Amino acid sequence: MSVLDARALGRATLARQLLLDRADAPVLDTVAHLGGLQAQEPQEPFVGLWSRLRDFRPAELSDLLTGRRVVRTHLMRRTVHLVTAEDALAWRPRHDAMLCGRVLGTYRRELDGVDLAELAAAGRAVMSDGEPRSMGDLARALADRWPEPGPRALGEMLVAALIPMVQLPPRGLWRTRAGVRNAPFTAWLGRDADPPAPPGTDPVGETLVRRYLAAFGPAASADLRAWCGLAGLPAAVAAVRGELVAFRDERGRELLDLPDAPRPDPGTPAPVRFLPAFDNVILGYQDRSRIIDDEHRGLSVAGARVVLVDGRVSATWTVEDGTVSVTPLRRLSRTDRAELAEEGRALAAFLSDGDGDRVRVGAAPP
């Protein structure tokens, strides 16, 4: 079994994530290929797509949101993801138990004794009038019946777990600030999520394995679990194993992959890429060593925006007064700093709709 080192895995990840070469692909197809983009920060997916697509226009993503072909919803890891409507409808039932379990993990004491099926039915009844509601509004509508848990616990359980919901535009549109208004899948997409698979079958799980490897492979089962948050996928992995090839990483872990997926030469040059907060290229693995050093692992969890130099997290970035400010995490060569500044100017122009291209690259740490 071939051993793939961190550099080989990193180049494969960059190729799958469209970060080695920007793609000429429709936005809808890109969102589908990536298995969605983490999107609790509403503007961040625009940067994620800009770094991956050639000639990306923000209006394309906004139009997909208003056109109900892409949605913002709680899904993988109980975080808000931007996914295609088709994937949301197909994947949501497979995530229901995980979503409920994660909410209970936070609010088990507050929700002790609450009949969740009864709560779900009551929440659906409130939402049946077709009016979008914030999480707090929905919880307050049921507070007389369930006064003890408090609005936060009730709202989280209803919106993030019990009722498949979409966060409606203008939330998530380009250059738009808007609060969260939720509507059930049925109201926004015209139908509810797909029914669960018959017992003993897991077609969605098998699809998730293939789709994950297409966008993140080669990867271990633990990496797949870290991406989607689902623990019960061993049977799905076993079902598709005959379609896959296997490798080992330097730790001896088995890595699975699609046989024809790109695995570039480790020496392939990797361009500078600016990533948004919470990008799945980092969060989508249990072992993130292919792209980020352990000492910097906490940056992505904290929501820092990072920069890839030679395929690895090497700096953070912010925007201040229209200027993209870059803070290196290590010493960079003169060539790296020049490429970083060039890509930073392009990002500044994108974020300002062409009004400016100011970039500032700070000094390396001592």
Side-chain angles (χ1 to χ4, degrees), residues 78 99-109 111 116 157:
R78 203 195 116 197
L99 293 170
C100 187
R102 292 207 172 193
V103 175
L104 284 176
T106 303
Y107 299 107
R108 189 172 301 278
R109 179 179 57 81
L111 294 167
L116 297 182
M157 179 55 77

Side-chain angles (χ1 to χ4, degrees), residues 16 209-215 217-219 240 243-247 256-263:
R16 313 290 173 91
V209 174
R210 297 186 186 98
R211 294 277 295 276
Y212 175 74
L213 292 176
V240 303
E243 308 170 16
L244 308 177
V245 293
F247 303 91
L256 300 175
D257 203 8
L258 303 174
D260 298 325
R263 289 180 289 275

Side-chain angles (χ1 to χ4, degrees), residues 26-354:
V27 174
L28 182 67
D29 293 350
T30 302
V31 173
H33 167 72
L34 296 172
L37 293 92
Q38 190 158 328
Q40 69 264 41
E41 296 293 338
Q43 296 296 299
E44 299 302 304
F46 290 94
V47 174
L49 290 169
W50 174 81
S51 286
R52 289 170 165 91
L53 294 177
R54 204 169 282 115
D55 301 321
F56 169 64
R57 295 187 305 107
E60 294 181 59
L61 179 55
S62 291
D63 289 347
L64 289 170
L65 282 161
T66 56
R68 310 186 188 202
R69 302 188 69 192
V70 164
V71 297
R72 294 170 48 81
T73 187
H74 287 88
L75 204 59
M76 283 75 78
R77 308 188 298 276
R78 203 195 116 197
T79 53
V80 176
H81 269 70
L82 185 80
V83 295
T84 67
E86 182 180 343
D87 284 344
L89 291 163
W91 293 358
R92 174 55 199 258
R94 189 62 180 81
H95 288 75
D96 280 351
M98 178 273 293
L99 293 170
C100 187
R102 292 207 172 193
V103 175
L104 284 176
T106 303
Y107 299 107
R108 189 172 301 278
R109 179 179 57 81
E110 291 87 343
L111 294 167
D112 183 43
V114 174
D115 185 314
L116 297 182
E118 187 179 343
L119 178 62
R124 288 180 182 273
V126 171
M127 298 299 297
S128 66
D129 63 5
E131 289 295 319
R133 288 176 172 82
S134 70
M135 185 175 69
D137 288 340
L138 177 56
R140 283 187 287 273
L142 299 171
D144 288 346
R145 190 166 171 184
W146 286 281
E148 293 301 321
R152 185 71 187 184
L154 280 183
E156 287 270 5
M157 179 55 77
L158 286 162
V159 171
L162 295 181
I163 306 174
M165 293 273 204
V166 171
Q167 293 186 356
L168 300 189
R171 181 79 168 177
L173 301 184
W174 178 240
R175 296 196 173 286
T176 301
R177 296 175 64 89
V180 177
R181 298 179 309 133
N182 302 286
F185 280 16
T186 48
W188 186 247
L189 299 177
R191 66 181 180 90
D192 207 346
D194 293 349
T201 67
D202 191 9
V204 174
E206 294 170 22
T207 296
L208 288 171
V209 174
R210 297 186 186 98
R211 294 277 295 276
Y212 175 74
L213 292 176
F216 294 87
S221 295
D223 297 318
L224 168 66
R225 185 166 60 249
W227 169 68
C228 64
L230 301 176
L233 286 176
V237 172
V240 303
R241 181 177 282 273
E243 308 170 16
L244 308 177
V245 293
F247 303 91
R248 296 240 178 241
D249 65 13
E250 293 176 298
R251 294 169 47 194
R253 299 189 312 160
E254 182 185 52
L255 308 177
L256 300 175
D257 203 8
L258 303 174
D260 298 325
R263 289 180 289 275
D265 185 284
T268 303
V272 167
R273 289 290 185 256
F274 283 74
L275 298 181
F278 306 112
D279 196 293
N280 275 338
V281 74
I282 300 174
L283 297 183
Y285 296 98
Q286 185 271 332
D287 180 358
R288 301 170 185 169
S289 61
R290 68 180 67 192
I291 201 165
I292 188 170
D293 295 339
D294 283 345
E295 63 185 293
H296 303 313
R297 182 185 175 104
L299 290 173
S300 55
V301 178
R305 296 157 161 171
V306 300
V307 188
L308 302 181
V309 179
D310 192 29
R312 298 193 63 78
V313 172
S314 300
T316 61
W317 67 277
T318 59
V319 180
E320 303 166 5
D321 300 324
T323 298
V324 171
S325 297
V326 180
T327 303
L329 297 171
R330 61 176 177 85
R331 292 183 64 85
L332 301 173
S333 70
R334 182 175 299 179
T335 300
D336 289 338
R337 290 178 70 89
E339 187 181 351
L340 197 155
E342 181 181 2
E343 186 74 356
R345 282 191 290 271
L347 175 61
F350 169 73
L351 293 173
S352 66
D353 292 329

